[in-house]
Amino acid sequence: GRKAILTPPPVKVVAENAGIPVFQPNTLKDGAGVKILEELNPDIIVVVAYGKILPSDFLHFPKYGCINIHGSILPKYRGAAPIQRCVLDGEKYAGVTSMQMDEGLDTGDMLLVEKTEIGENETSGELFDRLGVMGADLLIKTLVAIENNDIHPVKQDDSQSTYASMLDKTMCNIDWNAPAAVVHNTIRG
């Protein structure tokens, strides 16, 4: 967290309270993760807001691979801050995409997509919360579709991709000489 106090994410707390083992490595490069995969032998791995690229060993280990729930309508806004960038750019719509993970950054085949209109005064924080609920629902739909063999992957059109880089403090300054819409989107984003 921002106060540099190690705090478990809510998913970990719920899992531990339910007696579900949690694996939270500092790195996946030392081989320890592969040993755990071999022990657990998962059919599928689900990744949400992980922020790192999984090693090839992980991507190809499960029967159904690894799926990711991404906070954008791919291929637009690949990367670290898709929700904030969407608001900053004044987009009218946002969404979540389930995708089959591959070796690239948010480049895998799209599985399912859900869209929503962005409110005129909605902040990126408010949109983040809404997309979190949508993403959870989309995850369930995706897993059910995979289980029922009713999933139809679609390759992303790389020519339509954009990159949503991380935000930094230099973006906090507002250019009051910019058009009103840009100022409005900056504050909301």
Side-chain angles (χ1 to χ4, degrees):
R2 293 181 183 186
K3 294 180 182 178
I5 298 169
L6 189 59
T7 306
V11 170
K12 180 178 182 177
V13 173
V14 170
E16 288 178 335
N17 288 339
I20 299 170
V22 176
F23 176 59
Q24 194 173 10
N26 290 327
T27 182
L28 296 176
K29 297 177 182 176
D30 62 4
V34 175
K35 291 177 186 172
I36 290 175
L37 282 180
E38 289 169 351
E39 289 174 22
L40 296 174
N41 195 26
D43 289 332
I44 194 164
I45 294 175
V46 175
V47 176
V48 180
Y50 183 55
K52 297 179 183 174
I53 294 177
L54 290 181
S56 184
D57 294 353
F58 277 72
L59 293 173
H60 303 294
F61 188 91
K63 177 180 179 181
Y64 298 103
C66 299
I67 62 168
N68 180 27
I69 303 299
H70 186 72
S72 79
I73 303 167
L74 289 172
K76 205 165 185 186
Y77 298 109
R78 293 175 180 169
I83 298 166
Q84 296 90 339
R85 294 287 178 178
C86 195
V87 174
L88 286 166
D89 290 351
E91 295 285 351
K92 300 297 181 204
Y93 293 90
V96 288
T97 304
S98 61
M99 60 177 245
Q100 190 76 46
M101 294 177 71
D102 65 11
E103 279 84 5
L105 178 64
D106 301 328
T107 56
D109 291 351
M110 299 177 296
L111 304 175
L112 299 175
V113 178
E114 291 203 0
K115 300 176 184 180
T116 185
E117 192 168 352
I118 301 172
E120 181 181 356
N121 295 311
E122 187 170 25
T123 67
S124 61
E126 293 165 339
L127 181 59
F128 186 94
D129 291 345
R130 281 200 311 118
L131 292 181
V133 173
M134 286 177 61
D137 291 340
L138 187 67
L139 172 59
I140 293 168
K141 290 177 186 175
T142 302
L143 292 172
V144 167
I146 290 170
E147 183 178 44
N148 294 331
N149 199 27
D150 188 27
I151 201 81
H152 309 285
V154 175
K155 293 237 178 268
Q156 292 188 46
D157 181 353
D158 290 337
S159 71
Q160 299 297 310
S161 74
T162 59
Y163 179 66
S165 60
M166 288 183 6
L167 304 180
D168 64 62
K169 290 181 182 184
T170 64
M171 299 174 67
C172 292
N173 297 328
I174 297 172
D175 179 2
W176 296 106
N177 295 314
V182 171
V183 172
H184 182 69
N185 293 341
T186 301
I187 293 168
R188 294 183 313 122

XYZ file of all heavy atoms in Angstrom, residues 47-149:
784
model
N -5.631 -14.784 -13.977
C -4.805 -13.655 -13.571
C -5.642 -12.382 -13.675
O -6.290 -12.147 -14.690
C -3.561 -13.532 -14.481
C -2.750 -12.304 -14.143
C -2.704 -14.786 -14.399
N -5.627 -11.608 -12.594
C -6.323 -10.324 -12.594
C -5.420 -9.301 -11.932
O -4.965 -9.508 -10.804
C -7.673 -10.407 -11.832
C -8.378 -9.056 -11.843
C -8.561 -11.492 -12.404
N -5.108 -8.232 -12.629
C -4.319 -7.116 -12.083
C -2.988 -7.580 -11.500
O -2.583 -7.129 -10.437
C -5.138 -6.352 -11.033
N -2.295 -8.458 -12.191
C -1.022 -8.962 -11.685
C 0.122 -7.992 -11.969
O 0.995 -7.799 -11.141
C -0.733 -10.346 -12.271
C 0.538 -10.981 -11.757
C 0.754 -11.151 -10.392
C 1.532 -11.399 -12.620
C 1.917 -11.727 -9.908
C 2.696 -11.990 -12.158
C 2.876 -12.148 -10.808
O 4.030 -12.714 -10.331
N 0.146 -7.404 -13.133
C 1.141 -6.385 -13.427
C 2.493 -6.883 -13.893
O 3.416 -6.098 -14.051
N 2.626 -8.190 -14.076
C 3.886 -8.741 -14.570
C 3.574 -9.758 -15.662
O 2.471 -10.287 -15.734
C 4.655 -9.419 -13.434
C 5.074 -8.466 -12.336
C 5.798 -9.178 -11.225
C 6.131 -8.204 -10.120
N 6.713 -8.853 -8.958
N 4.559 -10.034 -16.472
C 4.380 -11.033 -17.526
C 4.735 -12.398 -16.943
O 5.794 -12.574 -16.339
C 5.247 -10.696 -18.751
C 4.730 -9.390 -19.380
C 5.223 -11.827 -19.756
C 5.524 -8.905 -20.559
N 3.839 -13.363 -17.108
C 4.085 -14.711 -16.609
C 5.113 -15.417 -17.488
O 5.086 -15.282 -18.711
C 2.800 -15.538 -16.614
C 1.725 -15.173 -15.600
C 0.531 -16.114 -15.740
C 2.246 -15.209 -14.185
N 5.996 -16.203 -16.874
C 6.948 -16.984 -17.662
C 6.219 -18.016 -18.528
O 5.116 -18.460 -18.203
C 7.801 -17.693 -16.603
C 7.545 -16.997 -15.321
C 6.195 -16.364 -15.434
N 6.849 -18.408 -19.585
C 6.281 -19.377 -20.517
C 5.874 -20.672 -19.829
O 4.858 -21.277 -20.166
C 7.288 -19.659 -21.636
O 6.741 -20.516 -22.588
N 6.669 -21.110 -18.827
C 6.339 -22.332 -18.084
C 4.933 -22.262 -17.503
O 4.194 -23.243 -17.511
C 7.313 -22.549 -16.918
C 8.729 -22.826 -17.360
O 8.948 -22.991 -18.569
O 9.617 -22.871 -16.491
N 4.564 -21.101 -16.981
C 3.243 -20.922 -16.386
C 2.164 -20.861 -17.451
O 1.094 -21.455 -17.312
C 3.203 -19.631 -15.553
C 3.745 -19.791 -14.174
C 5.097 -19.952 -13.952
C 2.899 -19.779 -13.085
C 5.597 -20.095 -12.677
C 3.388 -19.922 -11.796
C 4.740 -20.088 -11.598
N 2.430 -20.104 -18.512
C 1.422 -19.893 -19.553
C 0.961 -21.198 -20.194
O -0.204 -21.345 -20.541
C 1.975 -18.963 -20.640
C 2.235 -17.521 -20.223
C 2.937 -16.772 -21.346
C 0.940 -16.828 -19.830
N 1.886 -22.123 -20.353
C 1.574 -23.342 -21.102
C 1.364 -24.568 -20.221
O 1.093 -25.658 -20.727
C 2.676 -23.599 -22.132
C 2.857 -22.445 -23.066
N 1.905 -22.059 -23.968
C 3.881 -21.570 -23.210
C 2.317 -21.001 -24.639
N 3.518 -20.683 -24.193
N 1.472 -24.419 -18.925
C 1.337 -25.565 -18.034
C -0.104 -26.087 -17.938
O -0.342 -27.270 -18.138
C 1.871 -25.225 -16.637
C 1.924 -26.417 -15.729
C 3.060 -27.196 -15.658
C 0.820 -26.787 -14.972
C 3.108 -28.316 -14.839
C 0.859 -27.902 -14.151
C 2.007 -28.669 -14.085
N -1.094 -25.235 -17.634
C -2.454 -25.755 -17.442
C -3.091 -26.222 -18.749
O -2.781 -25.707 -19.833
C -3.232 -24.560 -16.891
C -2.234 -23.536 -16.522
C -1.015 -23.801 -17.352
N -3.984 -27.162 -18.631
C -4.709 -27.706 -19.783
C -5.345 -26.598 -20.620
O -5.294 -26.609 -21.842
C -5.787 -28.679 -19.275
C -6.673 -29.265 -20.334
C -7.690 -30.213 -19.704
C -8.620 -30.811 -20.735
N -9.606 -31.709 -20.106
N -5.967 -25.615 -19.937
C -6.657 -24.523 -20.632
C -5.852 -23.227 -20.615
O -6.377 -22.163 -20.924
C -8.038 -24.295 -20.025
C -8.940 -25.495 -20.168
C -9.189 -26.341 -19.082
C -9.529 -25.809 -21.390
C -10.002 -27.451 -19.211
C -10.345 -26.917 -21.527
C -10.573 -27.736 -20.430
O -11.377 -28.838 -20.570
N -4.590 -23.302 -20.240
C -3.733 -22.131 -20.243
C -4.059 -21.151 -19.140
O -4.630 -21.500 -18.109
N -3.683 -19.914 -19.384
C -3.907 -18.838 -18.423
C -4.820 -17.798 -19.063
O -4.606 -17.411 -20.215
C -2.590 -18.166 -18.055
S -1.392 -19.261 -17.281
N -5.808 -17.366 -18.308
C -6.665 -16.291 -18.802
C -6.496 -15.076 -17.911
O -6.157 -15.180 -16.741
C -8.148 -16.708 -18.909
C -8.716 -17.088 -17.543
C -8.331 -17.809 -19.920
C -10.225 -17.229 -17.557
N -6.703 -13.925 -18.501
C -6.559 -12.656 -17.808
C -7.841 -11.854 -17.999
O -8.438 -11.889 -19.078
C -5.375 -11.887 -18.399
C -5.151 -10.541 -17.733
O -5.482 -10.324 -16.581
N -4.572 -9.620 -18.486
N -8.253 -11.161 -16.955
C -9.352 -10.209 -17.065
C -8.694 -8.836 -17.097
O -8.042 -8.420 -16.141
C -10.330 -10.319 -15.870
C -10.873 -11.736 -15.752
C -11.452 -9.299 -16.012
C -11.664 -12.232 -16.948
N -8.846 -8.144 -18.225
C -8.159 -6.866 -18.445
C -9.177 -5.731 -18.458
O -10.245 -5.860 -19.067
C -7.392 -6.906 -19.769
C -6.552 -5.698 -19.998
N -5.403 -5.457 -19.285
C -6.701 -4.658 -20.838
C -4.871 -4.318 -19.687
N -5.655 -3.813 -20.637
N -8.835 -4.614 -17.840
C -9.749 -3.489 -17.697
C -9.809 -2.562 -18.883
O -9.706 -1.341 -18.732
N -9.972 -3.123 -20.078
C -10.175 -2.301 -21.264
C -10.851 -3.132 -22.342
O -10.985 -4.346 -22.231
C -8.854 -1.747 -21.806
O -8.145 -2.730 -22.543
N -11.266 -2.428 -23.381
C -11.801 -3.091 -24.568
C -10.601 -3.296 -25.491
O -10.213 -2.387 -26.221
C -12.886 -2.229 -25.244
C -14.002 -1.904 -24.252
C -13.431 -2.934 -26.482
C -14.958 -0.811 -24.722
N -9.987 -4.453 -25.368
C -8.778 -4.720 -26.158
C -9.110 -4.728 -27.648
O -10.231 -5.016 -28.029
C -8.169 -6.057 -25.727
C -7.520 -6.053 -24.345
C -7.126 -7.461 -23.928
C -6.317 -5.135 -24.283
N -8.133 -4.366 -28.478
C -6.710 -4.182 -28.198
C -6.335 -2.775 -27.711
O -5.169 -2.494 -27.466
C -6.051 -4.465 -29.539
C -7.065 -4.035 -30.545
C -8.405 -4.356 -29.912
N -7.316 -1.919 -27.539
C -7.023 -0.573 -27.072
C -6.682 -0.601 -25.584
O -7.290 -1.334 -24.829
C -8.226 0.335 -27.325
C -7.874 1.782 -27.454
C -9.022 2.573 -28.052
C -8.581 4.002 -28.290
N -9.667 4.832 -28.727
N -5.731 0.202 -25.191
C -5.324 0.375 -23.800
C -4.709 -0.876 -23.182
O -5.060 -1.263 -22.083
C -6.472 0.915 -22.946
C -6.939 2.279 -23.402
C -8.158 2.446 -24.034
C -6.118 3.382 -23.208
C -8.561 3.689 -24.467
C -6.523 4.637 -23.645
C -7.741 4.785 -24.274
O -8.144 6.024 -24.714
N -3.789 -1.484 -23.901
C -2.963 -2.529 -23.298
C -2.045 -1.842 -22.285
O -1.658 -0.699 -22.476
C -2.087 -3.202 -24.356
C -2.852 -4.004 -25.391
C -1.886 -4.518 -26.442
N -2.553 -5.306 -27.469
C -1.979 -5.680 -28.599
N -0.729 -5.337 -28.849
N -2.641 -6.401 -29.468
N -1.693 -2.546 -21.227
C -0.733 -1.980 -20.301
C -1.276 -1.737 -18.909
O -2.308 -2.279 -18.516
N -0.569 -0.886 -18.158
C -0.732 -0.764 -16.715
C -1.924 0.060 -16.247
O -2.443 -0.179 -15.168
C 0.541 -0.169 -16.117
N -2.348 1.057 -17.003
C -3.378 1.980 -16.505
C -4.499 2.189 -17.521
O -4.806 3.318 -17.892
C -2.732 3.309 -16.121
N -5.130 1.108 -17.959
C -6.139 1.258 -19.018
C -7.358 2.070 -18.595
O -7.900 2.837 -19.401
C -6.526 -0.186 -19.347
C -6.193 -0.958 -18.116
C -4.986 -0.280 -17.535
N -7.795 1.922 -17.374
C -9.011 2.603 -16.932
C -8.766 4.109 -16.829
O -9.539 4.916 -17.351
C -9.502 2.003 -15.595
C -9.854 0.522 -15.797
C -10.689 2.780 -15.047
C -10.037 -0.266 -14.519
N -7.677 4.482 -16.192
C -7.359 5.892 -16.050
C -7.126 6.547 -17.404
O -7.589 7.664 -17.657
C -6.119 6.073 -15.161
C -6.322 5.597 -13.737
C -5.962 4.127 -13.524
O -5.923 3.323 -14.457
N -5.701 3.757 -12.278
N -6.404 5.859 -18.281
C -6.108 6.423 -19.610
C -7.379 6.610 -20.427
O -7.516 7.572 -21.173
C -5.121 5.537 -20.370
C -3.748 5.481 -19.750
C -2.997 6.757 -19.956
N -1.687 6.679 -19.305
C -0.798 7.640 -19.343
N -1.058 8.755 -19.974
N 0.341 7.506 -18.724
N -8.300 5.706 -20.279
C -9.577 5.799 -20.977
C -10.310 7.084 -20.578
O -10.831 7.811 -21.421
C -10.403 4.562 -20.606
S -11.795 4.252 -21.648
N -10.332 7.381 -19.294
C -10.980 8.596 -18.796
C -10.177 9.825 -19.219
O -10.746 10.812 -19.708
C -11.156 8.536 -17.264
C -11.692 9.862 -16.724
C -12.097 7.394 -16.876
N -8.869 9.772 -19.061
C -8.014 10.893 -19.463
C -8.196 11.247 -20.936
O -8.168 12.424 -21.311
C -6.540 10.563 -19.196
C -6.080 10.599 -17.750
C -4.717 9.923 -17.605
C -6.035 12.026 -17.236
N -8.389 10.234 -21.761
C -8.538 10.452 -23.198
C -9.957 10.845 -23.605
O -10.226 11.056 -24.793
C -8.117 9.199 -23.972
C -6.617 8.957 -23.914
O -5.879 9.837 -23.431
O -6.178 7.871 -24.353
N -10.873 10.900 -22.640
C -12.234 11.315 -22.952
C -13.049 10.281 -23.698
O -14.000 10.626 -24.412
N -12.699 9.014 -23.531
C -13.460 7.951 -24.202
C -14.905 7.955 -23.706
O -15.184 8.307 -22.561
C -12.836 6.584 -23.916
C -11.458 6.388 -24.468
C -11.422 6.168 -25.974
O -12.494 6.004 -26.598
O -10.315 6.166 -26.523
N -15.812 7.554 -24.557
C -17.236 7.469 -24.189
C -17.577 6.101 -23.603
O -18.544 5.969 -22.869
C -18.124 7.744 -25.411
C -17.905 9.112 -26.029
C -18.264 10.216 -25.064
C -18.056 11.575 -25.713
N -17.829 12.624 -24.747
N -16.782 5.080 -23.976
C -17.040 3.716 -23.512
C -15.773 3.106 -22.937
O -14.668 3.426 -23.349
C -17.548 2.836 -24.668
C -18.898 3.235 -25.149
C -19.041 4.165 -26.176
C -20.052 2.712 -24.568
C -20.294 4.557 -26.604
C -21.306 3.098 -24.998
C -21.422 4.023 -26.008
O -22.669 4.418 -26.426
N -15.981 2.226 -21.981
C -14.899 1.437 -21.403
C -15.409 0.004 -21.333
O -16.534 -0.287 -21.742
C -14.532 1.949 -20.015
N -14.587 -0.890 -20.804
C -15.043 -2.268 -20.681
C -13.981 -3.172 -20.108
O -12.918 -2.724 -19.673
N -14.311 -4.435 -20.107
C -13.397 -5.475 -19.654
C -13.338 -6.558 -20.721
O -14.315 -6.824 -21.419
C -13.816 -6.074 -18.292
C -13.573 -5.083 -17.174
C -15.258 -6.516 -18.293
N -12.170 -7.166 -20.831
C -11.943 -8.227 -21.808
C -11.319 -9.414 -21.095
O -10.356 -9.258 -20.339
C -10.981 -7.758 -22.916
O -11.492 -6.573 -23.522
C -10.766 -8.843 -23.972
N -11.868 -10.605 -21.336
C -11.162 -11.811 -20.909
C -10.321 -12.249 -22.093
O -10.759 -12.179 -23.241
C -12.130 -12.906 -20.458
O -13.003 -13.303 -21.485
N -9.104 -12.661 -21.798
C -8.196 -13.039 -22.890
C -7.336 -14.221 -22.497
O -7.069 -14.457 -21.319
C -7.313 -11.857 -23.271
C -6.464 -11.352 -22.131
S -5.390 -10.020 -22.641
C -3.820 -10.789 -22.420
N -6.952 -14.970 -23.504
C -6.005 -16.060 -23.330
C -4.624 -15.428 -23.281
O -4.246 -14.707 -24.201
C -6.098 -17.036 -24.511
C -5.341 -18.306 -24.319
C -6.067 -19.252 -23.380
O -7.254 -19.444 -23.512
N -5.335 -19.820 -22.453
N -3.902 -15.659 -22.217
C -2.601 -15.015 -22.093
C -1.569 -15.666 -23.001
O -1.604 -16.873 -23.242
C -2.127 -15.076 -20.639
C -3.002 -14.258 -19.704
S -2.505 -14.375 -17.981
C -0.974 -13.435 -18.015
N -0.670 -14.823 -23.511
C 0.470 -15.309 -24.276
C 1.715 -14.580 -23.773
O 1.668 -13.911 -22.746
C 0.254 -15.147 -25.782
C 0.154 -13.693 -26.235
O 0.454 -12.777 -25.434
O -0.219 -13.463 -27.393
N 2.822 -14.695 -24.504
C 4.082 -14.135 -24.034
C 4.134 -12.608 -24.072
O 5.000 -11.999 -23.475
C 5.263 -14.708 -24.844
C 5.711 -16.076 -24.381
C 4.883 -17.224 -24.969
O 4.011 -16.960 -25.826
O 5.091 -18.371 -24.542
N 3.225 -11.964 -24.785
C 3.246 -10.508 -24.894
C 2.504 -9.818 -23.768
O 1.911 -10.447 -22.891
N 2.513 -8.494 -23.798
C 1.820 -7.678 -22.806
C 0.392 -7.417 -23.294
O 0.179 -6.597 -24.185
C 2.556 -6.352 -22.594
C 1.908 -5.372 -21.621
C 1.872 -5.960 -20.207
C 2.642 -4.052 -21.625
N -0.550 -8.163 -22.741
C -1.979 -8.017 -23.073
C -2.247 -8.243 -24.564
O -3.109 -7.596 -25.156
C -2.505 -6.636 -22.637
C -2.333 -6.397 -21.157
O -2.396 -7.374 -20.383
O -2.141 -5.234 -20.753
N -1.523 -9.175 -25.153
C -1.624 -9.405 -26.599
C -2.364 -10.694 -26.970
O -2.556 -10.964 -28.147
C -0.218 -9.477 -27.230
O 0.528 -10.496 -26.554
C 0.505 -8.147 -27.119
N -2.790 -11.470 -25.996
C -3.409 -12.762 -26.277
C -4.772 -12.629 -26.945
O -5.365 -11.551 -27.032
N -5.270 -13.766 -27.408
C -6.571 -13.799 -28.062
C -7.671 -13.376 -27.086
O -7.686 -13.780 -25.922
C -6.888 -15.209 -28.569
C -6.004 -15.626 -29.724
O -5.255 -14.780 -30.248
O -6.063 -16.809 -30.105
N -8.605 -12.584 -27.588
C -9.741 -12.138 -26.781
C -10.767 -13.263 -26.707
O -11.033 -13.946 -27.698
C -10.367 -10.890 -27.399
C -9.409 -9.712 -27.471
S -10.118 -8.264 -28.287
C -10.376 -8.868 -29.955
N -11.341 -13.442 -25.528
C -12.351 -14.476 -25.329
C -13.740 -13.852 -25.260
O -14.594 -14.139 -26.085
C -12.035 -15.291 -24.078
C -10.644 -15.938 -24.063
C -10.368 -16.621 -22.738
C -10.498 -16.911 -25.230
N -13.974 -12.989 -24.296
C -15.247 -12.283 -24.156
C -14.974 -10.818 -23.830
O -13.967 -10.493 -23.206
C -16.106 -12.894 -23.050
C -16.532 -14.358 -23.222
C -17.271 -14.835 -21.967
C -17.395 -14.543 -24.453
N -15.896 -9.943 -24.241
C -15.764 -8.507 -23.987
C -17.107 -7.976 -23.503
O -18.153 -8.357 -24.042
C -15.363 -7.742 -25.271
C -15.264 -6.240 -25.010
C -14.070 -8.273 -25.852
N -17.060 -7.108 -22.506
C -18.260 -6.398 -22.070
C -17.938 -4.922 -22.018
O -16.879 -4.523 -21.538
C -18.752 -6.911 -20.717
C -19.284 -8.310 -20.830
C -20.259 -8.682 -19.729
O -20.536 -7.851 -18.845
O -20.724 -9.829 -19.765
N -18.866 -4.101 -22.526
C -18.670 -2.657 -22.607
C -19.668 -1.941 -21.709
O -20.739 -2.462 -21.411
C -18.859 -2.185 -24.048
C -17.900 -2.821 -25.029
C -18.196 -2.386 -26.448
C -17.267 -3.113 -27.418
N -17.527 -2.727 -28.811
N -19.295 -0.706 -21.347
C -20.175 0.147 -20.558
C -19.902 1.603 -20.929
O -18.771 1.948 -21.288
C -19.976 -0.078 -19.047
O -20.943 0.689 -18.332
C -18.587 0.311 -18.589
N -20.921 2.402 -20.844
C -20.757 3.827 -21.104
C -20.104 4.480 -19.885
O -20.405 4.136 -18.745
C -22.118 4.470 -21.377
C -22.022 5.863 -21.931
C -23.353 6.375 -22.456
O -24.320 5.599 -22.528
O -23.396 7.574 -22.778
N -19.212 5.406 -20.143
C -18.565 6.158 -19.067
C -19.420 7.379 -18.780
O -19.774 8.133 -19.695
C -17.140 6.595 -19.464
C -16.273 5.380 -19.808
C -16.499 7.432 -18.350
C -14.923 5.741 -20.392
N -19.764 7.576 -17.516
C -20.556 8.744 -17.136
C -19.805 10.039 -17.409
O -18.578 10.100 -17.304
N -20.545 11.078 -17.723
C -19.950 12.366 -18.085
C -19.017 12.900 -16.992
O -17.994 13.506 -17.278
C -21.054 13.383 -18.360
C -20.554 14.743 -18.759
C -21.680 15.734 -19.011
O -22.860 15.344 -18.957
O -21.363 16.908 -19.252
N -19.366 12.665 -15.734
C -18.558 13.149 -14.614
C -17.926 12.015 -13.812
O -17.398 12.250 -12.727
C -19.408 14.027 -13.690
C -19.866 15.290 -14.391
O -19.071 15.986 -15.014
N -21.149 15.576 -14.323
N -17.966 10.819 -14.352
C -17.426 9.649 -13.649
C -15.906 9.734 -13.584
O -15.239 10.006 -14.584
C -17.859 8.373 -14.367
C -17.511 7.105 -13.651
C -18.169 5.881 -14.284
O -18.497 5.921 -15.490
O -18.341 4.898 -13.561
N -15.362 9.471 -12.403
C -13.909 9.475 -12.232
C -13.348 8.096 -12.584
O -14.081 7.108 -12.635
C -13.519 9.811 -10.782
O -13.952 8.742 -9.932
C -14.118 11.137 -10.338
N -12.034 8.049 -12.752
C -11.415 6.752 -13.042
C -11.575 5.807 -11.855
O -11.709 4.606 -12.035
C -9.947 6.919 -13.427
O -9.212 7.504 -12.386
N -11.605 6.342 -10.634
C -11.816 5.497 -9.449
C -13.202 4.873 -9.445
O -13.360 3.686 -9.131
N -14.197 5.658 -9.787
C -15.566 5.137 -9.860
C -15.691 4.103 -10.975
O -16.310 3.051 -10.797
C -16.554 6.284 -10.086
C -16.659 7.227 -8.905
C -17.332 8.553 -9.223
O -17.386 8.956 -10.415
O -17.806 9.199 -8.272
N -15.074 4.406 -12.117
C -15.104 3.460 -13.236
C -14.344 2.187 -12.879
O -14.796 1.081 -13.205
C -14.508 4.112 -14.486
C -14.486 3.260 -15.753
C -15.896 2.824 -16.158
C -13.810 4.028 -16.892
N -13.232 2.322 -12.185
C -12.449 1.169 -11.733
C -13.325 0.227 -10.908
O -13.332 -0.986 -11.121
C -11.257 1.657 -10.904
C -10.299 0.582 -10.508
C -9.186 0.310 -11.282
C -10.493 -0.156 -9.352
C -8.290 -0.684 -10.913
C -9.605 -1.151 -8.976
C -8.492 -1.412 -9.763
N -14.089 0.785 -9.980
C -14.971 -0.032 -9.137
C -16.042 -0.732 -9.971
O -16.319 -1.923 -9.767
C -15.618 0.819 -8.046
C -14.615 1.299 -6.998
O -13.492 0.751 -6.938
O -14.963 2.231 -6.250
N -16.646 -0.014 -10.902
C -17.683 -0.633 -11.754
C -17.101 -1.739 -12.626
O -17.693 -2.807 -12.777
C -18.346 0.421 -12.644
C -19.366 1.247 -11.945
C -20.361 1.949 -12.862
N -19.802 2.682 -13.977
C -20.044 2.394 -15.258
N -20.817 1.383 -15.603
N -19.523 3.135 -16.226
N -15.927 -1.464 -13.197
C -15.308 -2.480 -14.062
C -14.839 -3.685 -13.260
O -14.803 -4.799 -13.791
C -14.147 -1.876 -14.856
C -14.530 -0.840 -15.913
C -13.289 -0.340 -16.644
C -15.549 -1.371 -16.902
N -14.513 -3.484 -11.990
C -14.147 -4.610 -11.135
C -15.296 -5.592 -11.000
O -15.108 -6.813 -11.093
N -16.499 -5.074 -10.801
C -17.690 -5.932 -10.711
C -17.961 -6.582 -12.064
O -18.229 -7.782 -12.154
C -18.913 -5.121 -10.215
C -20.182 -5.945 -10.285
C -18.669 -4.615 -8.797
N -17.866 -5.795 -13.128
C -18.069 -6.355 -14.471
C -17.048 -7.443 -14.773
O -17.372 -8.469 -15.375
C -17.968 -5.248 -15.533
C -19.156 -4.324 -15.594
S -18.928 -2.992 -16.807
C -18.738 -3.912 -18.332
N -15.795 -7.208 -14.363
C -14.736 -8.178 -14.611
C -14.975 -9.488 -13.878
O -14.727 -10.567 -14.423
N -15.483 -9.407 -12.643
C -15.793 -10.623 -11.888
C -16.886 -11.420 -12.598
O -16.787 -12.647 -12.734
C -16.218 -10.267 -10.463
N -17.915 -10.722 -13.070
C -18.988 -11.395 -13.811
C -18.469 -11.993 -15.115
O -18.829 -13.107 -15.491
C -20.130 -10.416 -14.111
C -20.899 -9.996 -12.871
O -20.826 -10.708 -11.840
O -21.570 -8.941 -12.922
N -17.602 -11.232 -15.796
C -17.043 -11.724 -17.055
C -16.156 -12.941 -16.829
O -16.142 -13.865 -17.649
C -16.257 -10.612 -17.755
C -15.772 -10.942 -19.158
C -16.946 -11.093 -20.119
C -14.816 -9.871 -19.659
N -15.439 -12.967 -15.721
C -14.614 -14.129 -15.386
C -15.486 -15.375 -15.260
O -15.164 -16.425 -15.824
C -13.836 -13.888 -14.098
C -13.080 -15.093 -13.539
C -12.063 -15.631 -14.531
C -12.399 -14.708 -12.223
N -16.585 -15.261 -14.543
C -17.490 -16.409 -14.378
C -18.027 -16.851 -15.736
O -18.015 -18.048 -16.054
C -18.630 -16.061 -13.402
C -18.046 -15.875 -11.994
C -19.703 -17.143 -13.415
C -19.005 -15.250 -11.008
N -18.476 -15.907 -16.554
C -18.988 -16.246 -17.894
C -17.911 -16.936 -18.730
O -18.191 -17.893 -19.454
C -19.479 -14.992 -18.617
C -20.740 -14.408 -18.051
C -21.108 -13.123 -18.774
C -22.296 -12.445 -18.108
N -22.588 -11.140 -18.722
N -16.698 -16.438 -18.622
C -15.593 -17.013 -19.399
C -15.296 -18.434 -18.954
O -15.145 -19.337 -19.787
C -14.337 -16.127 -19.268
O -14.636 -14.802 -19.728
C -13.178 -16.696 -20.069
N -15.222 -18.653 -17.641
C -14.939 -19.998 -17.138
C -16.042 -20.983 -17.500
O -15.773 -22.127 -17.872
C -14.721 -19.964 -15.618
C -13.455 -19.242 -15.152
C -13.443 -19.105 -13.636
C -12.204 -19.946 -15.659
N -17.296 -20.537 -17.430
C -18.411 -21.402 -17.815
C -18.327 -21.730 -19.306
O -18.507 -22.886 -19.711
C -19.769 -20.743 -17.465
C -20.929 -21.470 -18.126
C -19.966 -20.696 -15.953
N -18.025 -20.733 -20.131
C -17.909 -20.965 -21.573
C -16.765 -21.926 -21.887
O -16.895 -22.809 -22.748
C -17.717 -19.639 -22.310
N -15.649 -21.787 -21.189
C -14.525 -22.709 -21.398
C -14.929 -24.119 -20.979
O -14.673 -25.083 -21.693
C -13.276 -22.227 -20.628
C -12.706 -20.961 -21.286
C -12.210 -23.326 -20.567
C -11.627 -20.264 -20.472
N -15.577 -24.226 -19.828
C -16.005 -25.539 -19.333
C -16.979 -26.212 -20.298
O -16.936 -27.421 -20.504
C -16.662 -25.382 -17.960
C -17.079 -26.704 -17.342
C -17.676 -26.514 -15.960
O -18.486 -25.591 -15.761
O -17.317 -27.312 -15.079
N -17.835 -25.403 -20.930
C -18.830 -25.931 -21.875
C -18.306 -26.021 -23.302
O -19.079 -26.282 -24.230
C -20.100 -25.077 -21.837
C -20.814 -25.181 -20.519
O -20.740 -26.207 -19.837
N -21.498 -24.119 -20.132
N -17.013 -25.759 -23.476
C -16.393 -25.777 -24.801
C -17.138 -24.853 -25.777
O -17.372 -25.181 -26.930
C -16.315 -27.207 -25.352
C -15.295 -27.326 -26.467
O -14.335 -26.553 -26.517
N -15.505 -28.280 -27.352
